[in-house]
Amino acid sequence: MHDVILSLILLFVAAFSSLAARLMPVPVPLPLLQIALGVLGSIAGLHVALDPDMFMLLFIPPLLFRDAFHMPMREFGQLRTIIFALAGPMVLATTILCGYAIHWMLPPMPLPVCFALAAVLSPTDAVAVGGMLGTSVPRTIVHMLEGESLLNDASGLVCFRFATVAAMTGAFSLRGALTTFSLLSLGGIAIGIAVCLAAARLDKILLARGYDDPPTQITFMLLLPFAAYMSAEAVGCSGILAAVAGGMTIKLTGVLQETQITTRLQARTMWDMVGFIFNSVIFLLLGLQLPALATNGMALVRAADRSPWMLLLLIVAIHGAMCILRAAGLALILGIAAWRARHDHGVFRWPGWRGLLVSTVAGVRGAVTLAAVLSLPQAAEGVAGFPARDLLVTVSVGVILVSLLTASFSLPWLTRGLMDGMVDPQAREVSWARLVLVRTMLRAMRDEQQTLTTRAKTRDEAGEMRIEIIARLMQEYENRLNQLRRNSNGEASVAQITSIRRMRLELALRLNNLRTSRIELRNLRDAQYINDETESLLMQEMDYEEQVLRNRARSLPRVG
């Protein structure tokens, strides 16, 4: 089947899976549904040959760049010690200890091969369970998992690279491995920063000269993660860390905030589409590979004269061992962080045992594990393949599925009631920031009013009009300030509740007027009083106005 047709089919199934997930009577996590649809597609005759290098190049850089861009930098800085501990020592400890555990379960398998399997399973993919966590988990845990998944891909792949070399050549140098790891990591970070800093500088020069074309800006931004990744890989450094560092660099430069509003809105929509489509296609591709991988696994079991249940038991045992090691490592790292924060008056608190279990289960395996294990060399004529490659691929895919299933069915139970009685710090921060902004606008209006009052003798018609507009704006800002205020118990007064309800009614009427205007605009076009171009222009204005009104409605506090 032609590659273009395959791509269109995958896009259609990705869109269909999102609709099906909403229509199903029983809630099913979207990744699992997409894997199931991929399996059905493979059974129906849809086959896609997965090139690991092309897979890593096409999917990983934009997803990591997007996640790094959305990572809150303040929280990343506050949790940096925990994140780096999880992405570095935790991955190394998992590779070594789980490697020995796998060797104990499978004594015939050489120890370097066991290390390779443990290393490829060590990177987590918190994006896969992001939708399952939602708002039912403290933000600290979510930020910790996001930061970990951004960085541990690189460390896991470096460990995997050294383990595979040792398995195939029998040569390994700890000093050389640490040196190479440092060079790969620091080089990838430096290249990602350099590439994106240069792009941001060029973009600012173009913006200063008035060149701000949204399609061009967004296209260049979409190409940035690939440029950072490929530049780093070309010199033998970590392309993954280059994409992560590039995303954070673009965010810190603030270049996107200097573009026009159309560019920002369209860029946000574009990255949302990239995240949805690429994540969906990854799980569909995993499902498409499953029947063939399962068949190979069964063939391995029969060749060894073992029961298929033994393979399933091995997969579950490996996943269980990794969960135990992850829980122990998390308890140690988080315990030390909580102790240090308590003595240094820091902001981190022990998340509790339920929070520890959530963090353990949420460490699922995903796309990087799949791509890395499929990149192991296959035996060919005159060329030796990686030892026990088929077994490693089968076990790795099995652990990916088991981790996804475990997270899908246990996280809703573990997170139920976890936030009861707790105030969402982000919601509280948003409310406080809104108060500060409204007060700032009020202060600016008062200063302007006072300036105009002192110049009363020289006031003209424009000055009188300005005073009238300022008075009206101040009244609007005062009403908004009253809506946002709370008493000492965090409750709104009767007057505030009335004001909020009045504002909600006004917004509802404005939205209804927009809907009526859209109908009339369509009637004018149908009657050919206006053409399609005029309709499109006015419709776009209404869309922007409706977006503002809906944002205002969401910002209003909830009252009884």
Side-chain angles (χ1 to χ4, degrees):
M1 188 178 295
H2 199 278
D3 291 343
V4 175
I5 298 178
L6 281 174
S7 301
L8 293 175
I9 292 174
L10 289 176
L11 289 176
F12 170 78
V13 177
F16 173 77
S17 65
S18 180
L19 178 62
R22 293 176 179 271
L23 296 178
M24 293 188 69
V26 179
V28 177
L30 186 58
L32 291 181
L33 180 59
Q34 289 165 346
I35 291 174
L37 290 174
V39 172
L40 292 176
S42 179
I43 295 174
L46 184 64
H47 300 291
V48 178
L50 192 61
D51 184 346
D53 293 333
M54 187 61 66
F55 180 87
M56 290 286 289
L57 173 62
L58 180 61
F59 291 100
I60 301 304
L63 290 177
L64 290 179
F65 186 93
R66 171 182 175 269
D67 293 339
F69 185 86
H70 288 121
M71 180 74 190
M73 300 307 298
R74 185 189 63 186
E75 280 71 13
F76 185 84
Q78 293 171 349
L79 299 171
R80 63 185 181 277
T81 303
I82 299 174
I83 290 173
F84 283 115
L86 291 173
M90 183 73 170
V91 169
L92 183 60
T94 300
T95 300
I96 296 174
L97 296 178
C98 193
Y100 278 112
I102 295 172
H103 185 62
W104 178 77
M105 298 178 199
L106 292 172
M109 184 178 290
L111 191 58
V113 178
C114 297
F115 286 150
L117 177 57
V120 81
L121 292 173
S122 60
T124 58
D125 185 7
V127 177
V129 292
M132 305 177 205
L133 294 176
T135 59
S136 59
V137 177
R139 300 300 299 171
T140 301
I141 295 178
V142 175
H143 295 148
M144 181 185 70
L145 293 173
E146 290 174 346
E148 177 195 8
S149 66
L150 285 176
L151 300 179
N152 66 5
D153 289 342
S155 55
L157 289 180
V158 170
C159 292
F160 176 67
R161 180 183 301 182
F162 285 115
T164 53
V165 170
M168 297 192 70
T169 65
F172 177 77
S173 170
L174 179 60
R175 182 178 179 181
L178 292 176
T179 303
T180 305
F181 176 76
S182 301
L183 292 175
L184 289 177
S185 302
L186 296 177
I189 293 173
I191 291 173
I193 293 175
V195 169
C196 291
L197 270 180
R201 178 62 179 167
L202 177 61
D203 196 34
K204 287 185 177 181
I205 293 174
L206 294 175
L207 290 174
R209 297 183 177 181
Y211 187 81
D212 187 7
D213 179 55
T216 305
Q217 291 271 5
I218 294 170
T219 302
F220 280 134
M221 187 176 298
L222 183 59
L223 293 174
L224 266 183
F226 298 103
Y229 181 91
M230 295 176 68
S231 299
E233 290 290 327
V235 296
C237 294
S238 173
I240 288 177
L241 285 180
V244 172
M248 291 185 174
T249 300
I250 289 295
K251 183 174 185 176
L252 290 174
T253 59
V255 64
L256 187 61
Q257 303 306 318
E258 299 180 14
T259 59
Q260 58 177 302
I261 184 172
T262 305
T263 303
R264 296 198 297 272
L265 291 174
Q266 292 180 2
R268 190 175 296 115
T269 303
M270 182 273 295
W271 283 114
D272 288 342
M273 290 297 299
V274 167
F276 169 74
I277 292 175
F278 278 30
N279 276 305
S280 299
V281 172
I282 284 174
F283 290 111
L284 288 172
L285 290 174
L286 174 58
L288 287 171
Q289 310 303 313
L290 269 183
L293 294 174
T295 302
N296 292 338
M298 292 300 176
L300 288 173
V301 170
R302 294 191 187 96
D305 196 21
R306 293 287 189 272
S307 169
W309 292 104
M310 294 297 294
L311 179 61
L312 179 60
L313 183 62
L314 174 65
I315 292 171
V316 173
I318 292 175
H319 175 66
M322 300 200 78
C323 285
I324 293 172
L325 290 173
R326 178 173 174 82
L330 279 168
L332 178 62
I333 293 171
L334 297 180
I336 293 174
W339 178 81
R340 288 184 59 186
R342 187 168 59 251
H343 283 74
D344 299 339
H345 305 288
V347 296
F348 183 77
R349 294 182 180 179
W350 170 254
W353 293 107
R354 284 182 66 188
L356 179 66
L357 286 175
V358 169
S359 303
T360 300
V361 174
V364 299
R365 277 67 194 174
V368 172
T369 295
L370 175 65
V373 75
L374 289 176
S375 69
L376 291 172
Q378 289 181 291
E381 186 177 353
V383 179
F386 189 83
R389 179 190 183 275
D390 291 342
L391 179 61
L392 262 65
V393 172
T394 303
V395 171
S396 298
V397 175
V399 172
I400 292 174
L401 289 177
V402 171
S403 65
L404 281 170
L405 287 169
T406 303
S408 300
F409 293 108
S410 63
L411 279 178
W413 174 71
L414 288 172
T415 58
R416 187 178 297 122
L418 191 60
M419 292 288 289
D420 288 351
M422 298 175 60
V423 178
D424 186 358
Q426 185 178 13
R428 181 173 54 194
E429 188 174 291
V430 168
S431 298
W432 175 82
R434 285 196 176 112
L435 275 171
V436 172
L437 294 176
V438 173
R439 286 168 177 161
T440 301
M441 290 186 287
L442 269 173
R443 186 166 56 250
M445 290 292 98
R446 290 194 185 102
D447 292 343
E448 180 72 13
Q449 188 180 50
Q450 185 176 2
T451 301
L452 291 174
T453 303
T454 57
R455 293 188 294 185
K457 294 182 179 180
T458 61
R459 203 160 56 207
D460 54 6
E461 183 179 352
E464 295 289 345
M465 188 181 303
R466 192 176 184 86
I467 289 178
E468 179 186 350
I469 294 173
I470 288 175
R472 190 163 63 247
L473 284 175
M474 287 182 64
Q475 182 62 45
E476 180 182 342
Y477 293 149
E478 288 284 0
N479 291 336
R480 195 180 303 179
L481 189 63
N482 289 332
Q483 294 163 5
L484 294 172
R485 280 174 177 159
R486 289 289 189 274
N487 59 26
S488 58
N489 297 324
E491 298 176 354
S493 65
V494 175
Q496 290 166 353
I497 292 175
T498 303
S499 176
I500 293 170
R501 287 175 175 169
R502 183 180 293 112
M503 178 55 70
R504 288 195 181 280
L505 179 59
E506 179 184 337
L507 291 173
L509 290 173
R510 288 177 180 270
L511 289 171
N512 186 64
N513 289 340
L514 281 176
R515 284 191 289 270
T516 304
S517 298
R518 283 195 179 92
I519 295 174
E520 181 62 22
L521 188 64
R522 195 174 299 114
N523 292 336
L524 291 174
R525 187 216 45 201
D526 292 341
Q528 296 187 359
Y529 289 112
I530 61 175
N531 62 7
D532 297 345
E533 188 176 3
T534 302
E535 180 199 24
S536 177
L537 179 63
L538 295 176
M539 193 71 74
Q540 185 178 17
E541 293 177 1
M542 292 181 188
D543 290 341
Y544 283 130
E545 184 178 355
E546 181 175 351
Q547 185 64 42
V548 172
L549 294 176
R550 292 192 180 278
N551 288 339
R552 287 287 306 279
R554 280 194 292 267
S555 69
L556 290 175
R558 296 289 179 184
V559 295

